[in-house]
Amino acid sequence: MTIAAPAVPTPRIREPNWFLDFCRQQPLGAVSFVIICCMMFAGIFSRLVAPYDPLDIDFASILGAPSWEHPCGTDAYGRDICSRLIFGSRTALVIGFTSSFIGSTLGAVLGVASAYFGGRIDNWIQRFMDILLAFPLIVLALVVVAALRKFVIGGVDVNLIFAIAIPILPRVARVVRAAALSVRVMPYVDAARAAGYSDTRIIFRHMAPNVVAPYLIMLTAFIAQAILAEASLSFLGLGVTEPTAAWGLMLSGNAADFYREAPWMILFPGAAISLAVFAFNLFGDSLRDYLDPRFRM
Amino acid sequence: MLRYTINRVLLMIPTLLGVAVLVFFMLRVVPGDVVEIKLRGDGGNVSQETIELERKRMGLDKPFVSQFGDWMIGMATLDLGKSMWTERPVIEEISLRLELSLQVAIMATIIAVLIAIPLGTAAALFRDTWIDYVVRIVTIGGLSIPSFWFGMLIMLTLLGLFNWLPPITFTPIYVDPVANLTQLIWPAMAVGYRYCAVVSRMIRSSLLEVMNEDYIRTARAKGVYEKVVISRHALRNALLPAITVIGLEFTFLIGGLVVTEQVFNLNGIGQLFVQSVSRNDFTLIQGMVMLIAAFYVFVNLIIDLLYAVFDPRIRYE
């Protein structure tokens, strides 16, 4: 007697598509992702996208109102504001991303190490973080700027990157440490230690991968903060220096003298900062909701 | 409770000492100081001897450790030294401007809290409806729009609507309240937006958490009016975490003011800070950093103590 095996259609297991899944669950996050992509495109291909050279001074069209030739108008030197905005996105992204990356990564390593070693080392690291946390972000950034003075390598303001990265460090370290404390008591960490692995190996290979979610969330959230800090410092005249195109810088100096004559000099750069920070904030928010629904507000 | 308080106050000392060490040595690691900016800043040709002489006069030629010792001894007797630029006492420079900044900060707090409580509550009660989404976008906007640009927008609006700009000279509130308020309400609004956003987000999330508590269900089961459940039972408990945020944001306002004062041309703490940073005025930077850090540590202490007062379940041993 033979029984024909029922033809079970083998279910095609679809690879979960992270990206589509994220877009479906977090529509606002998807929108912000599109904005970020546009910004990156503008930042990377500035030369191709921008209609003019951002440094081209044209005394024939000083303080020109927005028109077909100059969609965002021109500034007090006749430079095209739209092109300066496009090149400014490069400055904002480079400084925002590198400083957030440096600050978050160092903070994450310190946080995991602090949780792993515990005891006295943990205590000392935490006290040190407390000291750094006693400063508002922008105040600590200003102190670092004062300490490092001007320090430029290859056209990038290294002092500015560190000024923004250092205040980010303790804030990330604290969150990552909290996450790492719960990883530390996992059996596989004990197993790794019993196997005789080195501390460095356990920290980087066993614990760090398990705190990637809070790390990524903090990283994107702090890109927003870093862009804001860069704009603030440049606005104060202590960040990026002329003639480099940077959004904060475009608002500083004599821009305020032209409230009456040229409000577009103020409207567009500020809108660019706000949009960029808004996109990264929203993206960070959505990423948090997606990666860790427990934190959902 | 008393013991806890004393312990906490004693714990403030190592933190502040750490801040002092950090700031002092950070400022001096890289060469360059106020003397160079003062004498050579305008491109003038000043000999090296003159610079050394001036350094000697200011005590900048002494070893770092002895400079630090002098500063510490001064601080113990509440003397923060003299500004290296104006040569006036640091305390005098700060107190001249503290009144203005403090008033803006207090006004911003009042505006922010008054708006944040209804906003956060509405977002929590109408969770995942259009009201919640609007509040979410408005509050993320508050976190994203730089306060200095918001200040500039306020100026532009005032100029466009009334062809008027706020006065730049500061009048204390007890001299002429109207003149005082017409000047300071705008910067308070500019920094208040972010503040309000942070607080209302906190209220929303903590209210959502509280609404799941057993005692809310009990109150509802007893037939208490929903309005009373929210105002008496839920909101009161939800405000506790909000107090933390309000306190912390208040100290962080000083950071926000650093930039916003520039926009409104206010001669406050923030303006002074930026000036002293660009002039390498070490003593003034140190003094202000100590002030801000002390303020932060103190506010933290107050928050912890308030927790014990408002929430009887929390008892510190």
Side-chain angles (χ1 to χ4, degrees), chain A residues 63-66 71-75 81-82 85 235 247-252 254-276, chain B residues 144-146 148-160:
Chain A
L63 296 180
C72 301
T74 56
D75 69 5
I81 290 181
C82 181
L85 287 181
F235 172 74
W247 296 336
L249 197 60
M250 295 171 75
L251 290 170
S252 79
N254 55 11
D257 298 340
F258 303 109
Y259 276 140
R260 261 171 239 269
E261 296 89 345
W264 52 88
M265 272 176 71
I266 286 155
L267 289 177
F268 293 110
I273 300 171
S274 307
L275 187 69
Chain B
S144 314
I145 295 177
F148 62 93
W149 186 58
F150 193 54
M152 290 175 138
L153 286 187
I154 292 176
M155 299 268 248
L156 274 181
T157 319
L158 289 176
L159 203 61

Side-chain angles (χ1 to χ4, degrees), chain A residues 26 28 127-128 130-140 142-149 171 174 225 228 231-232 235-236 238 248 251-252 255-256 258-260 263 266-275 277-279 281-282 285-286 288-289 296-297, chain B residues 14-15 18-19 22-23 26-33 127-128 133 136-137 140-141 143-146 148-149 151-153 155-156 159 163 165 194 201-202 204-205 208 251-252 254-256 258-259 262-263 273-274 277-278 280 282 285 289 292-293 296-297:
Chain A
Q26 305 287 341
L28 283 176
R127 287 293 80 75
F128 185 61
D130 278 350
I131 291 169
L132 288 181
L133 281 171
F135 299 87
L137 200 146
I138 193 83
V139 172
L140 184 53
L142 278 172
V143 174
V144 180
V145 165
L148 292 180
R149 320 285 191 287
R171 292 168 170 83
R174 208 158 60 158
Q225 294 293 309
L228 205 54
S232 305
F235 172 74
L236 292 173
L238 296 167
L251 290 170
S252 79
F258 303 109
Y259 276 140
R260 261 171 239 269
I266 286 155
L267 289 177
F268 293 110
I273 300 171
S274 307
L275 187 69
V277 179
F278 183 81
N281 267 334
L282 205 57
D285 239 32
S286 311
R288 183 197 55 208
D289 288 356
R296 196 178 144 72
M297 303 194 3
Chain B
T15 308
V19 170
L22 191 76
V23 169
M26 246 166 75
L27 287 175
R28 285 164 176 79
V29 170
V30 182
D33 56 34
R127 184 187 179 172
D128 288 332
Y133 288 130
R136 187 172 174 187
I137 288 178
I140 294 188
L143 298 182
S144 314
I145 295 177
F148 62 93
W149 186 58
M152 290 175 138
L153 286 187
M155 299 268 248
L156 274 181
L159 203 61
N163 203 15
L165 281 178
R194 182 201 135 82
R201 276 160 71 93
M202 192 70 210
R204 176 181 179 272
S205 64
L208 282 177
T251 57
F252 278 46
I254 300 176
V258 166
V259 200
Q262 210 82 9
V263 175
F273 198 87
V274 174
V277 165
S278 54
N280 276 343
F282 293 164
I285 299 176
V289 164
I292 294 169
Y296 171 84
V297 177

Side-chain angles (χ1 to χ4, degrees), chain B residues 63-306:
Chain B
F64 290 164
V65 179
S66 92
Q67 283 186 47
F68 184 72
D70 289 348
W71 184 46
M72 281 289 116
I73 291 168
M75 231 177 349
T77 55
L78 289 179
D79 173 19
L80 291 176
K82 282 181 185 164
S83 156
M84 289 177 172
W85 187 271
T86 62
E87 315 225 345
R88 281 158 67 185
V90 169
I91 295 198
E92 194 186 308
E93 292 278 3
I94 292 176
S95 57
L96 264 177
R97 294 156 171 102
L98 194 61
E99 189 189 346
L100 184 148
S101 298
L102 213 55
Q103 197 198 332
V104 175
I106 291 171
M107 276 161 56
T109 310
I110 296 172
I111 297 174
V113 173
L114 283 182
I115 299 175
I117 291 177
L119 213 60
T121 315
L125 295 182
F126 300 100
R127 184 187 179 172
D128 288 332
T129 64
W130 64 270
I131 296 177
D132 186 20
Y133 288 130
V134 169
V135 172
R136 187 172 174 187
I137 288 178
V138 169
T139 52
I140 294 188
L143 298 182
S144 314
I145 295 177
S147 59
F148 62 93
W149 186 58
F150 193 54
M152 290 175 138
L153 286 187
I154 292 176
M155 299 268 248
L156 274 181
T157 319
L158 289 176
L159 203 61
L161 289 181
F162 310 111
N163 203 15
W164 174 84
L165 281 178
I168 352 179
T169 42
F170 174 62
T171 345
I173 192 158
Y174 42 81
V175 174
D176 183 356
V178 177
N180 173 281
L181 288 179
T182 47
Q183 183 194 15
L184 295 188
I185 192 85
W186 315 109
M189 275 164 64
V191 287
Y193 183 21
R194 182 201 135 82
Y195 200 159
C196 168
V198 175
V199 176
S200 50
R201 276 160 71 93
M202 192 70 210
I203 289 179
R204 176 181 179 272
S205 64
S206 64
L207 197 58
L208 282 177
E209 211 163 283
V210 169
M211 293 299 269
N212 287 326
E213 294 278 348
D214 290 340
Y215 56 80
I216 298 294
R217 197 179 325 129
T218 313
R220 279 187 181 145
K222 281 197 310 189
V224 178
Y225 287 117
E226 188 66 18
K227 225 192 251 172
V228 180
V229 171
I230 289 161
S231 63
R232 288 255 183 88
H233 298 254
L235 203 53
R236 212 174 255 200
N237 285 292
L239 283 183
L240 204 51
I243 290 175
T244 314
V245 178
I246 291 170
L248 291 182
E249 276 296 310
F250 188 78
T251 57
F252 278 46
L253 260 189
I254 300 176
L257 280 175
V258 166
V259 200
T260 312
E261 278 175 6
Q262 210 82 9
V263 175
F264 290 93
N265 244 318
L266 298 177
N267 191 12
I269 290 288
Q271 184 103 272
L272 184 67
F273 198 87
V274 174
Q275 273 172 9
S276 48
V277 165
S278 54
R279 287 170 178 169
N280 276 343
D281 190 341
F282 293 164
T283 36
L284 201 48
I285 299 176
Q286 286 162 199
M288 302 190 69
V289 164
M290 289 316 290
L291 179 84
I292 294 169
F295 195 64
Y296 171 84
V297 177
F298 181 70
V299 167
N300 259 316
L301 172 74
I302 299 284
I303 294 169
D304 278 357
L305 296 182
L306 274 183

